[in-house]
Amino acid sequence: MADELELLRHANPVPSDDPRFHDRPLDRPAEARLDALTRARRPRPDRPRRAPTLGRLLDGLRPRRPRRSRHWAFGLGAAAAVGAVVLTLTLSGPTTVPAVAAPRPLVVAPGSAALPLDRLAGLAAASDDVLRLRQGTHVQSWSLSMTSGPGARPPVTLPEERVVRWAADGSHTELVVATDPRHPGRPVVTDADPVPRTVQDGHVLSRRTYPPSWSDAPPRAEPPHDAARLRAYLDEIDRINPMGTDELLDAVAELLDNWTLGSRETTALARVLADAPGLRPVGAVTDRFGRPGQAYVYDDTARSVRRMLILDQTTGAVLGLEDTVTRADPEYGVEAGAVMSYRAWLR
């Protein structure tokens, strides 16, 4: 065993600091070197051969390193006017490209007037826009993947776009595409494999068709357009009693991941949000698709997260939800002020 281990170390198919050091197939040069080592020990013809992986090769020879991961989702639009920190990472895939870290937080326009939610609800009710409720959603999101512990990699952002459409017979389709609207045509990072890799812009991550189904439970059930009933609907989504503002925002996000609200439902939601404790207006902001809106902030001190909800300043429609960390987390390499999540909903 000692001689074989020494041969393996000398061949070194994949160095221990290589980002491909995971349970996945070796590349061609590494497999050729491994094949030269094991040529004298071919498997018998009646025993099917498994593709050699580094994890299987080193199983029992090296102790496994503890590793934890954290996953955040956030969205970014095409007209982003904010800077981004660029981390140059070696990723597996067809090309090696810089992975873009989380964007900087949205900035409230200096000197802009803060519009209280109850007044915005009134504006939404008086709006000339008459939009109908539609089952399904169109959301642009990012996923921030982080790891900690020995051998942890820097944070990697994973942009995705998801479109869900329902048919009259109760069936629906879900299309998930890897795309970064800020850089059309450039490769995109995805974590479809255990190790983040690059794919072409517009690469289809999943395309599913679901058979007809009906449900009378939120968020599948049709949302009401009365504020009191909508609040009860959101309570049922979250299932936490009592539901605080943090849980309310999570329930709103889940609602919008299933439905595109009409004018009446939007007005009812604005009235529900107006009663949320700690959700305060901070002024005008332009979202990451260039849409003007009003920002409302809730400080979640328990999780050290600042949550910003962006609403259309005329119709009251929810445009986006941004989470920003307020306390550094050295274990994951996250600094205070980093945007941890963002989602943008589109019609």
Side-chain angles (χ1 to χ4, degrees):
M1 175 61 77
D3 293 339
E4 292 180 357
L5 182 57
E6 186 60 33
L7 285 173
L8 179 61
R9 287 171 174 163
H10 183 266
N12 196 16
V14 181
S16 62
D17 59 349
D18 193 294
R20 295 166 296 171
F21 188 69
H22 293 276
D23 188 14
R24 60 185 289 116
L26 305 178
D27 59 17
R28 289 185 179 179
E31 187 166 354
R33 295 164 72 180
L34 177 62
D35 184 64
L37 282 174
T38 59
R39 189 168 297 159
R41 299 191 175 195
R42 295 286 188 183
R44 295 181 306 189
D46 60 342
R47 182 180 300 171
R49 181 181 179 184
R50 301 175 68 186
T53 66
L54 191 60
R56 299 190 191 107
L57 182 64
L58 299 183
D59 190 25
L61 298 181
R62 294 186 182 179
R64 293 189 178 273
R65 296 178 176 179
R67 190 172 187 179
R68 294 188 293 153
S69 63
R70 183 179 294 175
H71 191 271
W72 299 73
F74 63 101
L76 188 60
V82 297
V85 179
V86 177
L87 303 175
T88 301
L89 306 176
T90 302
L91 304 174
S92 62
T95 57
T96 299
V97 298
V100 182
R104 294 177 182 175
L106 292 177
V107 178
V108 176
S112 60
L115 183 64
L117 273 163
D118 56 352
R119 286 184 54 196
L120 181 60
L123 292 175
S127 174
D128 293 333
D129 288 346
V130 181
L131 301 175
R132 297 183 61 183
L133 175 70
R134 185 178 73 236
Q135 192 169 18
T137 190
H138 182 185
V139 57
Q140 177 70 48
S141 66
W142 258 249
S143 295
L144 182 60
S145 177
M146 300 179 292
T147 57
S148 68
R153 65 173 183 264
V156 179
T157 59
L158 314 167
E160 293 181 2
E161 185 170 2
R162 186 168 65 95
V163 178
V164 178
R165 292 290 179 259
W166 285 74
D169 65 355
S171 64
H172 70 280
T173 60
E174 180 186 64
L175 176 66
V176 183
V177 176
T179 181
D180 186 340
R182 297 168 307 158
H183 309 294
R186 286 179 51 181
V188 181
V189 182
T190 179
D191 66 348
D193 292 333
V195 177
R197 63 188 179 94
T198 56
V199 296
Q200 294 301 317
D201 178 47
H203 176 77
V204 175
L205 298 175
S206 66
R207 187 194 313 242
R208 299 184 179 94
T209 300
Y210 296 88
S213 65
W214 293 267
S215 173
D216 59 358
R220 287 291 180 88
E222 182 174 317
H225 52 263
D226 171 79
R229 292 171 54 212
L230 182 58
R231 169 70 193 207
Y233 179 101
L234 295 170
D235 278 335
E236 192 170 346
I237 289 180
D238 191 75
R239 298 182 183 277
I240 294 179
N241 191 17
M243 182 173 67
T245 301
D246 187 43
E247 293 80 16
L248 173 62
L249 294 177
D250 287 339
V252 169
E254 189 166 350
L255 167 64
L256 297 176
D257 281 346
N258 286 271
W259 292 87
T260 300
L261 301 185
S263 300
R264 295 188 302 173
E265 294 78 18
T266 294
T267 300
L269 180 57
R271 288 173 174 152
V272 170
L273 292 170
D275 293 332
L279 187 61
R280 66 186 191 280
V282 294
V285 69
T286 301
D287 86 334
R288 291 192 165 91
F289 276 94
R291 299 173 295 184
Q294 283 285 322
Y296 301 88
V297 168
Y298 173 74
D299 291 312
D300 183 355
T301 56
R303 295 193 301 151
S304 299
V305 172
R306 180 176 183 259
R307 314 195 72 181
M308 178 187 287
L309 188 70
I310 303 104
L311 304 183
D312 185 284
Q313 57 191 9
T314 302
T315 66
V318 178
L319 304 180
L321 179 63
E322 175 182 89
D323 288 355
T324 305
V325 67
T326 59
R327 185 175 61 186
D329 189 344
E331 182 180 3
Y332 289 92
V334 179
E335 298 181 356
V339 173
M340 301 303 297
S341 67
Y342 189 90
R343 273 185 285 187
W345 290 277
L346 313 169
R347 284 200 71 89

